[in-house]
Amino acid sequence: PLNQGCLNPISLNIPEGTILSPSETAAVVGGNVLTSQRIVDVLLRAFSACAASQGCMNNTTFGDDTVGYYETVAGGAGAGPTWNGRSGIHTHMTNTRITDPEILERRYPVILKCFHLNEGTGGVGLYHGGDGVIREMIFRRPLTLCILCERRVYEPYGLKGGGAGKRGKNTLIRQSGEVIQLGGKESVEVFPGDVYRLESPGDEERTH
């Protein structure tokens, strides 16, 4: 490989029947977009290389029998020994690019209400963690919305005394004004005028 000689080989011992070595009958999903994110965070923490990143790709899908859409949403990156974490980016195992707003609204029955950094969600320390984002979509016709996310219960951790980042949040705001907290894994029917609000996790900081 191109980087041959740059890295020292290591051995990984993974017990059978665990999340990284499941049985053939185990129900699994999201290995590329969720499990891989957390594995990288764990490895970086083990070597005290940097604080945790958002640990998630904030997977969002919606559609019906005639149309389907899937996107991953950026968040914050963890701080390191000499650097601040970046805000509003993908981390670790992905480099996917999100659909341009004009294309999204032209091809799919949604309106992008807002998409911006969620300031203050990165952790505080000598080097601060990156901020997550806020992304809101208004649905224009009945659809099924599915989300697959992490770090909605436990926040991304800091390192060397640095503070933790903010947890992510998924909220459905009905046209009637009803507010529903969706959690990290959910499938729900949405209707015209409903708003889906995604707040991706911020990231942690490092103090020294």
Side-chain angles (χ1 to χ4, degrees):
L2 294 178
N3 63 349
Q4 185 175 3
C6 296
L7 305 174
N8 292 325
I10 62 172
S11 297
L12 297 178
N13 300 313
I14 302 173
E16 295 292 329
T18 63
I19 191 171
L20 298 184
S21 183
S23 69
E24 294 182 357
T25 57
V28 295
V29 68
N32 181 50
V33 293
L34 283 183
T35 307
S36 64
Q37 296 282 326
R38 303 306 291 271
I39 291 172
V40 175
D41 267 350
V42 168
L43 291 173
L44 293 176
R45 185 179 191 180
F47 291 101
S48 296
C50 68
S53 291
Q54 67 164 342
C56 178
M57 287 176 62
N58 303 291
N59 302 273
T60 301
T61 64
F62 61 79
D64 57 18
D65 292 338
T66 64
V67 67
Y69 177 77
Y70 169 49
E71 70 179 17
T72 60
V73 183
T82 60
W83 69 84
N84 296 319
R86 294 289 299 275
S87 298
I89 63 167
H90 273 308
T91 58
H92 301 340
M93 305 296 290
T94 176
N95 60 355
T96 54
R97 182 178 178 181
I98 204 161
T99 306
D100 293 333
E102 297 83 0
I103 302 299
L104 175 67
E105 295 183 347
R106 181 181 180 90
R107 296 183 180 177
Y108 300 94
V110 297
I111 297 172
L112 186 59
K113 184 178 179 182
C114 72
F115 186 33
H116 57 81
L117 293 178
N118 192 1
E119 295 185 7
T121 52
V124 210
L126 178 61
Y127 297 101
H128 61 78
D131 291 330
V133 303
I134 295 176
R135 185 171 174 87
E136 292 185 356
M137 287 188 290
I138 305 173
F139 298 100
R140 296 193 289 114
R141 79 181 199 208
L143 297 165
T144 300
L145 169 69
C146 298
I147 52 176
L148 180 63
C149 305
E150 279 291 325
R151 294 244 159 88
R152 268 47 183 180
V153 176
Y154 300 103
E155 67 271 11
Y157 50 80
L159 197 65
K160 303 290 185 179
K166 301 295 185 183
R167 292 174 294 178
K169 183 187 298 185
N170 303 318
T171 307
L172 180 63
I173 306 167
R174 296 289 190 189
Q175 187 181 32
S176 64
E178 180 187 9
V179 177
I180 304 171
Q181 300 301 331
L182 295 177
K185 286 87 175 170
E186 187 62 85
S187 179
V188 63
E189 300 302 312
V190 295
F191 303 95
D194 289 350
V195 176
Y196 172 56
R197 176 184 174 94
L198 184 149
E199 300 173 48
S200 66
D203 294 297
E204 305 60 56
E205 47 292 295
R206 183 175 179 131
T207 60
H208 63 275

